[in-house]
Amino acid sequence: MAKPKVGYTRRALLGSGAAALAASALPAPMLWAQDTKDITLRQFGTGVSNLNEVAQKVKEDLGFTLEMTALDSDSVTQRAATQPDSFDIADIEYWICKKVWPTGNLQAMDTSKIKNYDKIVGIFRDGKLTPTSEIAQGTAPHTVGFVDGPGSTTFATEETGWMTLIPTIYNADTLGIRPDLIGRPIKNWSELLNPEFKGKASILDISSIGIMDMAMVVESMGEHKYADKGNMTRDEIDLTIGIFTEAKKNGQFRAFWKSFDESVNLMASGEVVIQSMWSPAITAVKSRGIPCVYQPLEEGYRSWGGGIGLSKSLSGMELDAAYDYINWYLDGWVGGFLMRQGYYSAVPETSKNFMTADEWGYWFEGKPATGDITNPFGDVLASAGDTRDGGSFYDRMGAVACWNAVMDENQYMVRKWNEFIAA
Amino acid sequence: MTRTLVGWLQAAPLALILLCFLAAPIVMIVIVSFWGATEYSIYPAFQFDNYEFLFGSEVVWRVFGATFRYAAITWALTLVIGFAVAYFLAFHVRSTTWQIALFLLCTIPFWTSNIIRMISWIPFLGRNGIANKTLIDWGLIDAPLEWLLYSDFSVILAFVHLYTLFMVVPIFNTMMRIDKSLIEAAYDGGASGLQTLWHVIIPLTKPGIMIGTIFVVTLVMGDFITVRFMSGSQRANVGRLISNDIGLLQYPSAAATAVVLLCTVLIMIAILLRFVNIRKEL
């Protein structure tokens, strides 16, 4: 199968010196650069991890070209489900995997070829962060992380050696607040609908994520206890959206946001003091010198995770290159790059090698920073003495209450959501 | 070659273009509006589900109501402002050079994108924006006015700002064609300024008003982005209903809404055209 795409040319042989260097720097199973340099892998995904820096580094370290396309979650889902030949690597979230896997457009990955498989965080393997952790509601990654073998379109309940997605990036989300404009501690999700913040609250207008934030609020208000927030019944959907429609009509919300930038502007301009938010948005507000806190709440976090899946049509050289890419991804450089922006990597211990002790302490261990903490783009995010909102990795990921999910009643929910937005 | 054949050939290019790029897409939309959708795909069918949901939902009715309201208020405001501007340009500015210069001045804002002109209102109207700060500094208000931004007010303000020129241009164009001797005759006959306006100028300007009306009404009825940004997604019109459906991959439902909107707008224009014969103008 592994047939070289091109013959050996003089120019390619000249390039092999560089490849040898890269090969010795990275002990991952390497292909000869003569062949790989002509390989192009097409990756698409949801912007978060589709970063040009990653593609550049891939070219440097592995030699092949990675073409990246960033789309919104809905388009990503549609493309993965309907155009399997338009991509080689799908960088998708686990809840999208639940929708897309049954179409058979992705191929299962042999974990024996994944060098750092054993070091992947438990959340993505048996579902438990530590042996004693409880598994959160929603589409928990491990529930859609494995299949019985190549070609299987149904998910397995335990680790089988065949993975659907290789986890790459994940985080725990909560509400963002402006502590200077609120002036008192915020401890619960229910505060989002507190009349005190009438006209100063916001929620995101992306149905699959927004509904989970809503469920966290409704449960926190004591209105309803869900059997599974990630899989509501029609009645529960009606109840949840009903409560928010009522609040909307009473003028609770200043605006809804759909894109990252909108959430940053709403918060930075003071139009909104409490809203659903993503962690890099908090960073963006802070970097303008405006106080903004990613407030840990008693009910816990709403978490999300993304991973890389391989297209069914990948084979031969390209497939080998894709495995190289995955091994490289888990090898630490990307992990460090992402963790210095506030995300988590699937194999934190390899990322540690690419972070300073202070960065590791601040981002992962929840320790006070000893100096300025900068992100990979050079912006200062925290200075000496600051600690991360929510604390250490185990504090944050250990307090996850639910995962982003796709429900059985998804279409009904979407229609109701559309009505909520239009109401 | 016969004359008829030449005639057909001459008409063919435009007919073909209209057929391919106007008629065919609309037919396609009508067809898809009867299809069904799953979460990530659409499948051919002939079912009335989409229309049933559309007419059965109270929210949809209210959204159509809101769309008409936006169109009506915007129409009234752009008409008054547009007519006043055109009247000033046509009858008060005497030299043609100045008329052209002032007319061009009106179009300057159109050199930037529509979206930018709209979004630039947001920092101005915001809670801590220039408008509120100034009013507080002047002592006119104690607390920021919340309704300035993310409200019906800001939506209509943006519409009026964006679309007034579409009223000015056709009205100005018709006014320039009015024979000045008719106005002199009115004055000679003893009509006051108001009487001249009401009995001479307005009737003669009707075709221009009608063209402007069609522009403004269709633009406002079909808009979704202005409503989305200026209301912070708090208000909805039919365009937003369609764009939400598309975002959620519910194309058949979006197509059904589009068909209903298209029919509504066509009926409105048909009614408008009963009142005035705009062919005189073309």
Side-chain angles (χ1 to χ4, degrees):
Chain A
M1 276 298 265
K3 199 177 90 199
K5 286 195 91 179
V6 287
Y8 288 71
T9 63
R10 191 174 58 88
R11 194 166 283 279
L13 283 168
L14 286 174
S16 64
L21 203 71
S24 57
L26 274 168
M30 289 292 299
L31 295 169
W32 288 102
Q34 290 94 317
D35 306 320
T36 53
K37 79 174 181 55
D38 288 307
I39 292 176
T40 298
L41 292 179
R42 297 159 301 162
Q43 175 174 330
F44 79 109
T46 50
V48 215
S49 51
N50 261 314
L51 300 157
N52 285 328
E53 286 81 357
V54 173
Q56 275 165 22
K57 192 75 178 164
V58 164
K59 188 78 192 166
E60 271 171 43
D61 286 357
L62 300 177
F64 56 81
T65 307
L66 192 65
E67 274 178 14
M68 295 206 176
T69 312
L71 300 165
D72 62 80
S73 322
D74 293 323
S75 316
V76 164
T77 313
Q78 185 193 28
R79 191 150 164 189
T82 58
Q83 303 167 42
D85 295 325
S86 73
F87 65 91
D88 300 312
I89 294 175
D91 175 12
I92 57 180
E93 277 189 49
Y94 277 88
W95 61 270
I96 297 177
C97 177
K98 187 176 173 187
K99 273 191 185 183
V100 169
W101 191 268
T103 63
N105 290 343
L106 298 173
Q107 58 173 304
M109 284 169 270
D110 183 354
T111 55
S112 65
K113 291 193 194 170
I114 311 293
K115 187 170 62 90
N116 284 318
Y117 176 75
D118 294 333
K119 296 180 191 161
I120 291 176
V121 171
I123 297 170
F124 299 99
R125 296 170 58 203
D126 57 3
K128 295 191 170 188
L129 181 64
T130 59
T132 55
S133 324
E134 260 190 54
I135 294 169
Q137 297 178 349
T139 309
H142 73 284
T143 60
V144 294
F146 295 93
V147 288
D148 287 324
S152 170
T153 52
T154 48
F155 299 109
T157 48
E158 73 246 314
E159 290 178 71
T160 56
W162 294 95
M163 238 178 172
T164 56
L165 298 183
I166 298 293
T168 52
I169 181 173
Y170 54 102
N171 207 346
D173 286 356
T174 179
L175 295 177
I177 62 163
R178 279 283 299 269
D180 56 326
L181 298 179
I182 290 181
R184 69 176 176 85
I186 296 291
K187 288 191 185 131
N188 301 93
W189 280 85
S190 58
E191 300 277 10
L192 187 68
L193 292 190
N194 188 335
E196 185 186 335
F197 307 123
K198 189 177 167 187
K200 296 179 180 177
S202 175
I203 191 168
L204 78 175
D205 175 16
I206 298 175
S207 57
S208 50
I209 306 174
I211 189 80
M212 305 305 286
D213 279 356
M214 284 182 172
M216 293 297 287
V217 172
V218 168
E219 209 166 74
S220 165
M221 289 166 78
E223 294 284 341
H224 183 70
K225 185 110 184 109
Y226 300 90
D228 182 355
K229 286 188 268 296
N231 204 3
M232 298 184 193
T233 63
R234 286 193 174 208
D235 287 343
E236 284 175 329
I237 293 170
D238 286 344
L239 171 92
T240 313
I241 293 189
I243 288 172
F244 272 75
T245 308
E246 190 65 33
K248 185 188 172 190
K249 286 186 176 156
N250 291 335
Q252 180 71 10
F253 301 109
R254 183 65 168 154
F256 298 137
W257 61 266
K258 203 156 196 168
S259 76
F260 173 85
D261 306 348
E262 284 177 280
S263 73
V264 172
N265 288 335
L266 283 173
M267 206 63 159
S269 64
E271 296 292 343
V272 161
V273 299
I274 184 167
Q275 64 171 349
S276 21
M277 233 171 155
W278 296 338
S279 110
I282 300 276
T283 310
V285 175
K286 274 193 193 166
S287 66
R288 298 188 190 179
I290 296 163
C292 186
V293 171
Y294 212 25
Q295 185 61 48
L297 301 165
E298 276 170 14
E299 295 83 5
Y301 295 88
R302 174 189 55 75
S303 191
W304 58 271
I308 294 176
L310 302 182
S311 163
K312 188 99 195 160
S313 57
L314 264 186
S315 62
M317 292 271 307
E318 275 85 4
L319 183 58
D320 291 340
Y323 272 109
D324 274 357
Y325 171 58
I326 288 165
N327 277 316
W328 172 84
Y329 211 107
L330 299 179
D331 201 53
W333 184 87
V334 190
F337 184 78
L338 295 173
M339 282 181 73
R340 284 188 291 139
Q341 297 174 62
Y343 301 113
Y344 292 121
S345 92
V347 190
E349 53 185 283
T350 58
S351 312
K352 194 176 177 181
N353 305 330
F354 293 83
M355 298 168 81
T356 65
D358 191 24
E359 283 170 344
W360 178 256
Y362 177 82
W363 289 118
F364 192 82
E365 295 176 318
K367 289 181 185 163
T370 53
D372 278 353
I373 298 288
T374 55
N375 67 9
F377 314 106
D379 304 319
V380 176
L381 302 183
S383 40
D386 291 352
T387 50
R388 179 174 191 171
D389 300 332
S392 75
F393 172 74
Y394 291 100
D395 288 342
R396 297 183 81 246
M397 290 312 294
V400 170
C402 67
W403 289 87
N404 281 358
V406 48
M407 311 184 179
D408 297 338
E409 291 288 354
N410 188 51
Q411 261 186 306
Y412 180 77
M413 191 276 284
V414 160
R415 286 207 149 148
K416 283 285 158 190
W417 184 271
N418 210 350
E419 287 192 355
F420 163 66
I421 295 301
Chain B
M1 236 187 263
T2 62
R3 283 176 64 85
T4 29
L5 186 63
V6 173
W8 279 107
L9 280 177
Q10 282 173 334
L14 183 65
L16 269 179
I17 287 174
L18 288 180
L19 199 68
C20 293
F21 297 107
L22 185 73
I26 291 176
V27 170
M28 203 58 216
I29 289 173
V30 174
I31 294 172
V32 171
S33 72
F34 291 100
W35 287 17
T38 65
E39 274 165 45
Y40 45 77
S41 66
I42 57 178
Y43 58 88
F46 185 73
Q47 54 189 26
F48 291 89
D49 286 19
N50 301 311
Y51 289 98
E52 231 169 77
F53 183 80
L54 203 59
F55 291 115
S57 163
E58 185 220 339
V59 172
V60 175
W61 286 103
R62 264 193 283 123
V63 169
F64 266 90
T67 311
F68 284 120
R69 201 175 67 236
Y70 284 137
I73 299 175
T74 310
W75 172 76
L77 292 172
T78 51
L79 177 62
V80 171
I81 301 170
F83 189 87
V85 172
Y87 184 85
F88 175 79
L89 282 177
F91 297 114
H92 279 264
V93 182
R94 296 284 169 184
S95 94
T96 320
T97 324
W98 273 107
Q99 271 178 342
I100 293 171
L102 290 174
F103 183 75
L104 285 178
L105 197 67
C106 288
T107 65
I108 285 179
F110 285 75
W111 295 355
T112 60
S113 125
N114 181 322
I115 306 252
I116 290 175
R117 272 179 291 141
M118 177 174 81
I119 286 182
S120 46
W121 281 107
I122 293 176
F124 180 81
L125 296 173
R127 182 175 286 139
N128 305 310
I130 303 170
N132 270 321
K133 283 232 170 90
T134 316
L135 289 174
I136 290 174
D137 284 348
W138 287 350
L140 292 174
I141 48 170
D142 301 324
L145 299 172
E146 299 279 327
W147 52 264
L148 281 183
L149 187 58
Y150 301 136
S151 59
D152 282 339
F153 169 80
S154 56
V155 173
I156 288 168
L157 180 74
F159 274 141
V160 171
H161 173 214
L162 293 177
Y163 299 142
T164 297
L165 194 70
F166 291 98
M167 209 47 123
V168 174
V169 175
I171 297 179
F172 175 65
N173 187 34
T174 352
M175 281 180 174
M176 290 302 283
R177 293 187 195 190
I178 295 176
D179 191 344
K180 294 281 193 299
S181 54
L182 288 176
I183 296 163
E184 275 172 37
Y187 279 118
D188 290 350
S192 69
L194 263 181
Q195 281 173 322
T196 315
L197 181 70
W198 192 252
H199 294 291
V200 180
I201 297 176
I202 290 184
L204 288 173
T205 323
K206 266 189 188 163
I209 294 177
M210 204 47 64
I211 293 174
T213 303
I214 292 173
F215 275 140
V216 171
V217 168
T218 48
L219 282 169
V220 173
M221 297 280 290
D223 173 275
F224 73 99
I225 201 84
T226 311
V227 175
R228 154 135 159 62
F229 279 111
M230 297 309 291
S231 77
S233 294
Q234 297 295 293
R235 303 282 188 279
N237 66 349
V238 181
R240 284 214 64 211
L241 228 48
I242 297 173
S243 95
N244 284 349
D245 270 338
I246 291 174
L248 299 163
L249 308 179
Q250 304 295 315
Y251 292 113
S253 159
T257 317
V259 168
V260 174
L261 179 65
L262 184 68
C263 293
T264 319
V265 174
L266 286 178
I267 291 169
M268 285 176 66
I269 291 177
I271 294 170
L272 289 175
L273 292 182
R274 300 290 292 185
F275 291 118
V276 179
N277 180 11
I278 57 165
R279 292 215 178 154
K280 272 198 300 193
E281 191 63 17
L282 302 173

